[in-house]
Amino acid sequence: MIRPRRLRATPAMRRLVRETRLHPAELILPIFVREGIQEPLPIASMPGVVQHSLDSMRRAIAEAAELGLGGVMLFGVPEIKDAIGSGATDANGILNVATRAAVAEAGDALVVQTDLCLDEFTDHGHCGVLDAAGRVDNDASLVRYRDMALAQVAAGSQLLGLSGMMDGQVAAVRDALDAAAHPETPLLGYAAKYASAFYGPFRDAVQSSLEGDRRTYQVDPANRREGAREVWLDVEEGADIVMVKPAMSYLDVLADAAADSPVPVWAYQVSGEYSMIEAAAANGWIDRRRAIEESVVSIRRAGADAVLTYFAAEVARWIRS
Ligand code: PBG
């Protein structure tokens, strides 16, 4: 008789036949850095995650390096926002200041990555600039992204995370960097980024001023083929790595990308995915550690070469202990 249970009988046997393993080098920790604060501030909708001061960010990066994480992804929370997101291209803007400090702290231990998008910096909260009619202006936004890319590279960013979902953003930023003699800086295209309710807590974390939604630029959650097309386009435009985001509700899109992409495919376990697990665990409804491990291993199993997750440091600690 064929008995699959033979290979499930003991912990040692299960360990031997396990297909997917987590490693700290494949985990990337997103970090929020808020301008003008001296102490870290908790984020109400993301228990256990904070808005960092520059000092506490340095400590978080030292810890991430110590734990062997693959990288950190920095997000800036500026004090002042305006229509074009001026803080994003200002060398003294919080994200660029934080990047310089992060690179100095990290040394060669991990890859310092930066979010390249205007939403944290605009007073209307959109990922691009608006035209006279109040619509997100794709090509005017690309001009801002080109400048933002140059500012981030000047600050020392080692991987630019293009998360704005403007058409042509990877090609535009690649062109800007190549023209400015930065052919070496790699680009992470947030290729298949969906218009998701699971970004809810993130908007708290970066104090987003968004009214309305991002459905004219992020992908409709109902569309699988369109996600594959976005991945294909980013690869064609020269993305060095592509991303699927969110992760858990989009494992089919992730598996498609993993099957077809010639470049690494990453996934982002987003704020709402984090907070759902934390909320259920806080109520005693699920086993927190098992749920976290299962969620991250499932994202790897579906095909992600690396995972951005707010659980990165904790999971790395578990792996190492
Ligand atoms: C855009 C950006 C967002 C997230 C990462 N980059 C927000 C959005 O598209 O609304 C969400 C990440 C998360 O929810 O954890 N800069």
Side-chain angles (χ1 to χ4, degrees), residues 174-286:
R174 183 73 272 154
D175 177 63
L177 294 185
D178 290 353
H182 290 299
E184 74 290 349
T185 303
L187 303 182
L188 162 63
Y190 280 44
K193 179 172 178 181
Y194 285 83
S196 174
F198 296 113
Y199 306 143
F202 175 94
R203 306 231 168 123
D204 250 9
V206 300
Q207 290 159 305
S208 169
S209 16
L210 182 70
E211 281 169 31
D213 59 56
R214 307 200 196 286
R215 287 180 227 232
T216 69
Y217 44 106
Q218 298 179 345
V219 183
D220 185 327
N223 296 353
R224 178 172 181 170
R225 197 189 303 284
E226 194 180 343
R229 182 187 193 206
E230 286 282 4
V231 168
W232 184 83
L233 281 171
D234 275 18
V235 169
E236 286 288 298
E237 290 180 28
D240 299 280
I241 303 169
V242 291
M243 176 97 89
V244 173
K245 176 184 179 185
M248 274 178 81
S249 297
Y250 299 87
L251 296 181
D252 53 339
V253 179
L254 177 57
D256 290 350
D260 293 334
S261 171
V263 300
V265 177
W266 292 1
Y268 196 144
Q269 183 179 43
V270 301
S271 57
E273 300 179 67
Y274 172 90
S275 298
M276 285 195 296
I277 291 175
E278 290 292 350
N283 277 292
W285 296 338
I286 53 173

Side-chain angles (χ1 to χ4, degrees), residues 101-115:
V103 169
E105 184 69 43
D108 296 328
L110 49 72
V111 177
V112 174
Q113 315 169 27
T114 47
D115 185 54

Side-chain angles (χ1 to χ4, degrees), residues 76 153 306:
V153 171

